[in-house]
Amino acid sequence: MPQDIPLPSRSAPPAEDEIAPLFSFDNSVLRLPPRFWRKLTPQPVKAPRLLALNRPLVAELGLDADRLAGPEGVAALAGNVVPEGAAFVALAYAGHQFGNFVPSLGDGRAVLLGEVIDRQGQRRDIQLKGSGPTPFSRGGDGRAPLGPVLREYVVAEAMHALGIPTTRALAALVTGERVLRRRAEPGGVLVRVAASHIRVGSFEYFASRGDGEAVARLVEEAIRRHYPTADDALSLLEHVVAAQAGLVARWMAVGFVHGVMNTDNMAISGETIDYGPCAFLDAYHPGTVFSSIDTMGRYAYARQPQIAAWNLGRLAACLLPLIDRDEDKAVASAERAVNGFFPIFRRHWLDLFRAKLGLAGAEEEDGALIADLLARMSRGEADFTRTFRGLATGRAREEFADPSLFDDWAAAWRARLARNPAGTSAEALMRSANPRIIPRNHRVEEALAAAEAGDMAPFERLTTALSRPFDEDEETRDLEAAPRPEERVWRTFCGT
Ligand code: AMP
Ligand code: MG
């Protein structure tokens, strides 16, 4: 009998080593003990389709946009397959939610695909949010509706363009499946990039279990990834305090309300993370709350600094045994570090708002001048973004229900401007500190509604415009407008 001659294969697959993997992962997370993570298997979605791909970020990460947009890339970004070299784990964390401790939260609808080293040599996590259930899902379905996915995409990218530390959006996909929330909605997956996913709640998870060894390991990891100059738990805490103080001051300066500042939503890196019911102020009022679940106003605009400091107190509590063997001494050092939040925050806040007012140099009375403007804006129902931008364009007074509120203040402001050091361009300073456009709630919701109906054009237009928020542009004047009363969004939803 002649030997069977194998049929020629349709097209011989190239040897494995000829195809570069889609991602060059380098997963330090897997070097952490297994109690830090749970290995996942893909929970494929029916018909994933790429809706948005952030090409500048793709390039920053050294990835191949065309391959990511192709079938192999889409399958990986949807979490339908485990790409070569991926970690594919859910991370364990706990957290204080609205002040109450929950000992086990964890990635319930997210998978850490892996870590890559970007073009600047920085280690970045790539995470899929909404890709399916994990051992931490508890009652949840592990999925995400498309609306919140696109919302996080727009807002995170807008924050980045505003110069605010944040996780980024690499891609958004629609899954081809429906998820049931208040109604049946299209499902989505957000591909998120973060400096890391170490949260205050990551420390709380291990500290609450009495696992001091894991807390110490996490301290090492946080130092290695984010604060290489820190040399112990106390100096890590001081670095995180400083980073958060700078971050929250930046939020305040653009009128951003995070909405869910639970300790599991506070990143050790100092990046803004977990965009849920977040929103930007329209008319300024310090007590503004958007989130439908924040019934007590715990996370109102003006409370954000206090809440950040409270969260840092929870981090400090986890670190006490590492700070000093003598508990009293540990508490004293930790308290000092956490209380350092307020002067650092104040310094950033003054610098940021001075620039918003076009003030160079520092005078004792600057803080009072800024506070007076804000108080008048609140009384005059002045739009936050338009009023500050209007200081440079001469249109600020129009934003006040009663323009005399502005005029009385402006005399003192002009007198202070006259004392700017010679050679200062107050106008240039104000134009670079006060964005012309922000992701207005009504515009975001309009773009999401269109996307849900299959039209991505408004989303693309909005994200493109928001990538240059300080520049003048005749084409996008409409995005400057404050909402008309009937357009105004008062409540936002987690929608997770
Ligand atoms: P977040 O709203 O992102 O702060 O999430 C709070 C916690 O709830 C985290 O542990 C999430 O993983 C979990 N979670 C939120 N949505 C879902 C979902 N659809 N399925 C499973 N877990 C979820
Ligand atoms: Mg969260």
Side-chain angles (χ1 to χ4, degrees):
M1 285 271 284
Q3 275 248 241
D4 266 348
I5 299 169
L7 290 169
S9 63
R10 275 154 292 192
S11 82
E16 206 146 59
D17 60 4
E18 282 175 30
I19 315 173
L22 199 52
F23 303 90
S24 297
F25 287 120
D26 175 21
N27 300 322
S28 68
V29 64
L30 298 180
R31 297 196 280 274
L32 290 170
R35 58 193 188 282
F36 282 73
W37 41 263
R38 310 282 181 277
K39 204 82 179 144
L40 303 178
T41 48
Q43 309 278 325
V45 293
K46 201 156 58 187
R49 198 159 51 79
L50 195 59
L51 291 185
L53 183 65
N54 187 342
R55 287 179 181 260
L57 183 56
V58 167
E60 206 176 302
L61 299 184
L63 304 174
D64 180 334
D66 294 334
R67 273 180 78 190
L68 284 178
E72 171 204 22
V74 170
L77 296 177
N80 278 8
V81 300
V82 183
E84 190 182 331
F88 224 79
V89 293
L91 299 180
Y93 56 85
H96 277 85
Q97 299 189 310
F98 293 90
N100 304 308
F101 186 60
V102 184
S104 188
L105 289 165
D107 289 330
R109 46 138 179 206
V111 44
L112 176 60
L113 209 54
E115 299 153 45
V116 296
I117 310 297
D118 72 14
R119 289 256 160 90
Q120 267 79 53
Q122 296 298 310
R123 181 175 292 276
R124 316 272 291 265
D125 279 7
I126 302 180
Q127 193 208 53
L128 313 179
K129 199 168 165 183
S131 58
T134 80
F136 298 109
S137 297
R138 293 164 290 157
D141 60 1
R143 305 292 185 193
L146 182 60
V149 163
L150 294 178
R151 189 183 172 83
E152 175 157 349
Y153 193 116
V154 181
V155 181
E157 288 307 301
M159 293 285 272
H160 173 71
L162 288 165
I164 299 172
T166 177
T167 62
R168 303 282 309 273
L170 185 68
L173 298 95
V174 64
T175 61
E177 293 176 357
R178 299 235 142 210
V179 294
L180 198 60
R181 294 296 183 266
R182 286 184 298 163
R183 58 194 168 89
E185 301 176 52
V189 174
L190 178 77
V191 185
R192 169 162 92 175
V193 176
S196 87
H197 283 86
I198 307 175
R199 305 157 188 264
V200 170
S202 313
F203 287 87
E204 292 180 287
Y205 180 87
F206 294 110
S208 69
R209 284 163 176 73
D211 189 346
E213 199 183 300
V215 176
R217 190 72 185 76
L218 210 45
V219 167
E220 258 173 47
E221 199 62 14
I223 289 176
R224 190 179 58 79
R225 277 189 87 158
H226 305 302
Y227 307 103
T229 58
D231 47 17
D232 58 16
L234 182 61
S235 78
L236 170 66
L237 178 62
E238 289 164 349
H239 278 86
V240 179
V241 166
Q244 286 294 333
L247 178 66
V248 176
R250 285 176 176 85
W251 291 355
M252 303 303 279
V254 296
F256 176 76
V257 185
H258 182 286
V260 211
M261 289 177 71
N262 294 334
T263 57
D264 52 306
N265 293 337
M266 182 182 263
I268 295 300
S269 63
E271 286 183 338
T272 311
I273 194 168
D274 280 359
Y275 293 88
C278 64
F280 284 74
L281 301 178
D282 293 305
Y284 172 71
H285 191 286
T288 304
V289 175
F290 292 101
S291 170
S292 63
I293 55 170
D294 190 4
T295 47
M296 306 290 281
R298 179 179 170 90
Y299 300 138
Y301 171 79
R303 285 184 55 103
Q304 295 183 116
Q306 282 95 313
I307 291 293
W310 188 87
N311 289 351
L312 292 162
R314 308 285 71 73
L315 173 62
C318 299
L319 302 180
L320 288 177
L322 295 172
I323 289 176
D324 204 304
R325 255 179 303 205
D326 178 327
E327 200 183 325
D328 292 340
K329 282 189 190 155
V331 169
S333 299
E335 269 180 1
R336 207 174 316 116
V338 172
N339 287 333
F341 179 92
F342 296 100
I344 303 171
F345 170 81
R346 178 75 181 167
R347 194 159 39 74
H348 283 285
W349 187 90
L350 278 170
D351 286 348
L352 290 160
F353 277 84
R354 275 195 186 103
K356 292 177 81 64
L357 266 58
L359 308 182
E363 288 188 9
E364 190 60 36
E365 294 300 305
D366 290 346
L369 187 68
I370 298 163
D372 187 24
L373 174 62
L374 289 169
R376 288 161 183 272
M377 285 167 62
S378 171
R379 262 187 287 148
E381 291 164 42
D383 183 88
F384 186 87
T385 303
R386 292 176 62 87
T387 301
F388 282 107
R389 184 74 175 184
L391 294 177
T393 61
R395 314 199 65 164
R397 78 186 296 273
E398 297 165 26
E399 299 302 322
F400 290 76
D402 168 7
S404 73
L405 278 170
F406 177 77
D407 296 337
D408 293 346
W409 173 83
W413 173 54
R414 293 208 178 89
R416 171 62 181 85
L417 282 175
R419 294 193 297 275
N420 269 350
T424 309
S425 168
E427 188 185 332
L429 192 56
M430 288 188 282
R431 283 184 185 273
S432 62
N434 299 319
R436 182 180 67 90
I437 50 173
I438 46 137
R440 300 241 178 215
N441 304 318
H442 65 300
R443 291 307 202 157
V444 172
E445 299 209 346
E446 178 185 76
L448 303 192
E452 240 186 71
D455 176 11
M456 289 300 289
F459 174 88
E460 281 157 16
R461 178 170 184 263
L462 190 60
T463 46
T464 304
L466 288 168
S467 70
R468 310 186 63 162
F470 298 98
D471 296 359
E472 290 297 328
D473 176 12
E474 287 306 321
E475 300 294 302
T476 57
R477 285 277 169 243
D478 59 309
L479 299 179
E480 292 175 20
R484 292 191 300 271
E486 72 278 12
E487 288 176 326
R488 187 140 176 212
V489 175
W490 297 96
R491 283 281 160 270
T492 52
F493 300 88
C494 278
T496 54

